[in-house]
Amino acid sequence: MRRLFIILSTIFFCVSLSAQSIFLEAEGFADIGVPFANIVKPNKVQKDWAEAEIGVLLHLDMPVFHPEYNHREYGTHPDPSTFNPTELNTDQWLETAAKLGAKYAVLTAKHGSGFTLWPTSTHDYNISRSPWKDGKGDIVKDFVNSCHKYGIKPGIYANMATNGYLWVDNPGLVQPGSPITQEQYSDIIIRQLTELWGNYGPLFEVWFDGGILSPAQGGADVLSLIKKLQPEAIAFQGPYGYDNLIRWVGNEVGTAPDPCWATADSTTNSDGVKVVTGLYGRPDAPFWCPGESDFTLRRQSAFGGGWMWHEGQDDMIYSIEELMDKYETSVGRNTNMLLGLVIDNRGLIPDADVKQAEKYGEAICGRYGTPCAETSGKGAQVAVFRK
C-alpha cells in the first residue's frame, strides 16, 4: 500500500482487528491519549474502500452541450434531443482510469440538470429522448459493463439535492413554481434510486453531492432503501444511520486537513463548494467516517469548469508536479483520492486528459511504488519500521 501513514491509519491497517488491550510502539508517534479499547474501528467495507486509495469521478451532463446552461434558471432546461455524444465509448473512460491506477470509478448518472443517463421511468427528461442510439441506449449500463471489463469497481453519483428540470435546489427542496410537490419529489427520488441501485448490480460507492434531505426535513427514506438494495456500498454524504459513510474534506482541490482522522463526530451535508474549516475529525470521535478528497484534472474556472468539459480548455490541465502534490495531500493525509475527469461532447475523455492521467499514474507508481513503512509483531505488540 502506498498510503503515507498518519497515526490513525497505522492503527487502522495494523491493529484494528487485534485484542482490545494493545500497546503500540512506533517511533515518532505521540500518545493520542485515548484508551485503545474505545477507538472506533472500521468494518470490512470501509477497509476495502480505504485499500482502493484512488478513484475517478466521470462527469457528463447537459452543460457539456450547453456550457451557458445554469440549472438554477428554472424553466430553461435544454431539450433532450441536443444530448448526442456520437462517439461515446465507456471502454475508453475505464481504460484511462486503469492507466491512472484507479481501483474504482463513479459516474454522474444524474447531475444538477435533472437529465438522467439511464432510461428512467420517472419522467421524460432522460437518455431515451436523446438521438444517441436512437433513444435505446443506457450509459449507466455501458459504464458498469466497462468497469467489470477493466477490473474497476463501479460507483454511481446521483445528485438528489438539485434538479433543474424539476425546480429543486440544495438540499433537495422543491422551489416555488415547480411542476411537482415535495412529496412527489420524494417519490421520484425513491424510484430513481431503486432503478440505479436495483438494476446494475453491486456498487462500490454511491455519491450524494450536497447530501440527502432526511425524512424529518421532508425528504425520502433513503436510509431504508440503501440498506435493502446496496448494503455493501460506501456512501459519500449519505443518509445518517448508514454504516458505511465517508465524509467531505471541506474543499474540492485535493487538500485534506492535517491531521485528518478517520473518526469524526458526524458527516457533512455541505454542497462541496464552500470551504469549511475544522473537518479534522477526532481520534476519540464516535463514528468511523473517513474523508474522500475530490479534485479535478483541469483547473476550475467558470460554472462547472474543471468538472464539466468546456471547449478550448486543454491548457488548463494541472502539471504532474501539481497533481503529485494533491496526491500527497489526499492519500498522504489518510483519505482516498477521487480525480474528476471530464467527458467531452463526443462522449470521450479528451486526448490531452488521457495522456496526463497516464503520466500521473506512472508518476505515482514511480515515487510511491513501494510502501513507506512496514509493520510486524505478535500478540499485543506491534512495531512500525520506517523505510
Side-chain angles (χ1 to χ4, degrees):
M1 172 168 291
R2 294 186 296 258
R3 186 180 295 268
L4 310 178
F5 296 107
I6 65 170
I7 179 67
L8 193 55
S9 60
T10 301
I11 293 171
F12 173 14
F13 292 112
C14 301
V15 297
S16 64
L17 299 181
S18 300
Q20 288 188 340
S21 178
I22 292 180
F23 176 71
L24 179 67
E25 287 188 351
E27 184 178 355
F29 288 150
D31 180 5
I32 61 175
V34 181
F36 200 83
N38 295 339
I39 293 179
V40 179
K41 302 172 182 67
N43 60 37
K44 183 182 184 304
V45 172
Q46 292 164 327
K47 286 189 288 184
D48 289 346
W49 176 83
E51 290 276 3
E53 289 191 354
I54 298 175
V56 296
L57 181 56
L58 301 160
H59 274 71
L60 179 61
D61 191 26
M62 275 297 181
V64 168
F65 300 91
H66 301 271
E68 75 290 347
Y69 169 66
N70 185 333
H71 63 262
R72 289 188 170 92
E73 295 176 357
Y74 305 120
T76 64
H77 55 274
D79 192 279
S81 65
T82 61
F83 187 97
N84 191 21
T86 55
E87 299 177 48
L88 189 141
N89 185 342
T90 54
D91 277 0
Q92 188 250 14
W93 306 354
L94 275 300
E95 182 181 15
T96 301
K99 289 178 179 178
L100 170 69
K103 299 298 188 295
Y104 63 102
V106 181
L107 172 66
T108 56
K110 191 250 122 193
H111 208 277
S113 73
F115 184 82
T116 74
L117 302 187
W118 78 99
T120 181
S121 64
T122 58
H123 54 64
D124 290 339
Y125 202 51
N126 68 68
I127 195 67
S128 71
R129 301 294 172 164
S130 161
W132 182 71
K133 290 192 174 182
D134 296 322
K136 296 179 176 61
D138 185 339
I139 296 175
V140 176
K141 180 180 179 180
D142 291 350
F143 162 76
V144 172
N145 288 341
S146 292
C147 283
H148 295 321
K149 178 178 179 178
Y150 286 92
I152 292 175
K153 298 175 181 178
I156 288 179
Y157 169 121
N159 184 339
M160 296 298 160
T162 58
N163 188 315
Y165 177 66
L166 296 176
W167 299 44
V168 176
D169 204 356
N170 202 36
L173 295 174
V174 172
Q175 302 300 299
S178 171
I180 62 170
T181 66
Q182 192 71 46
E183 184 177 1
Q184 287 173 321
Y185 184 58
S186 292
D187 178 65
I188 287 171
I189 288 175
I190 293 298
R191 290 168 61 193
Q192 288 193 347
L193 293 180
T194 298
E195 292 170 348
L196 288 173
W197 296 347
N199 295 336
Y200 300 101
L203 299 172
F204 186 65
E205 180 169 330
V206 295
W207 233 80
F208 293 99
D209 198 350
I212 188 76
L213 199 66
S214 70
Q217 299 169 303
D221 184 10
V222 173
L223 177 59
S224 296
L225 190 67
I226 193 172
K227 285 183 174 181
K228 177 183 177 182
L229 297 180
Q230 292 290 340
E232 300 298 306
I234 285 288
F236 178 84
Q237 294 186 330
Y240 289 107
Y242 185 55
D243 291 336
N244 310 324
L245 292 177
I246 58 174
R247 74 183 193 269
W248 186 53
V249 298
N251 60 69
E252 294 184 340
V253 295
T255 304
D258 185 16
C260 188
W261 297 93
T263 44
D265 291 301
S266 68
T267 58
T268 172
N269 282 335
S270 180
D271 59 11
V273 176
K274 181 181 178 182
V275 175
V276 176
T277 59
L279 296 179
Y280 295 83
R282 289 189 298 112
D284 58 344
F287 301 109
W288 190 276
C289 185
E292 184 174 55
S293 301
D294 58 315
F295 61 95
T296 55
L297 188 71
R298 296 180 173 213
R299 301 176 195 280
Q300 298 179 33
S301 55
F303 182 80
W307 294 108
M308 294 287 178
W309 178 79
H310 286 253
E311 190 173 9
Q313 292 189 351
D314 284 5
D315 60 347
M316 297 187 71
I317 296 174
Y318 284 108
S319 70
I320 293 298
E321 280 309 307
E322 289 173 312
L323 291 167
M324 287 301 293
D325 181 67
K326 294 177 183 297
Y327 175 83
E328 291 165 359
T329 58
S330 57
V331 174
R333 292 184 180 175
N334 197 41
T335 74
N336 276 20
M337 159 186 143
L338 189 65
L339 179 67
L341 296 175
V342 299
I343 308 298
D344 65 22
N345 57 0
R346 301 172 300 166
L348 301 172
I349 298 175
D351 295 343
D353 301 61
V354 171
K355 292 177 182 178
Q356 194 72 337
E358 183 174 6
K359 289 180 181 178
Y360 191 14
E362 291 172 349
I364 292 171
C365 189
R367 187 177 298 182
Y368 298 110
T370 57
C372 64
E374 291 181 351
T375 63
S376 69
K378 295 180 180 180
Q381 185 167 319
V382 175
V384 177
F385 302 97
R386 295 273 181 194
K387 288 191 173 181

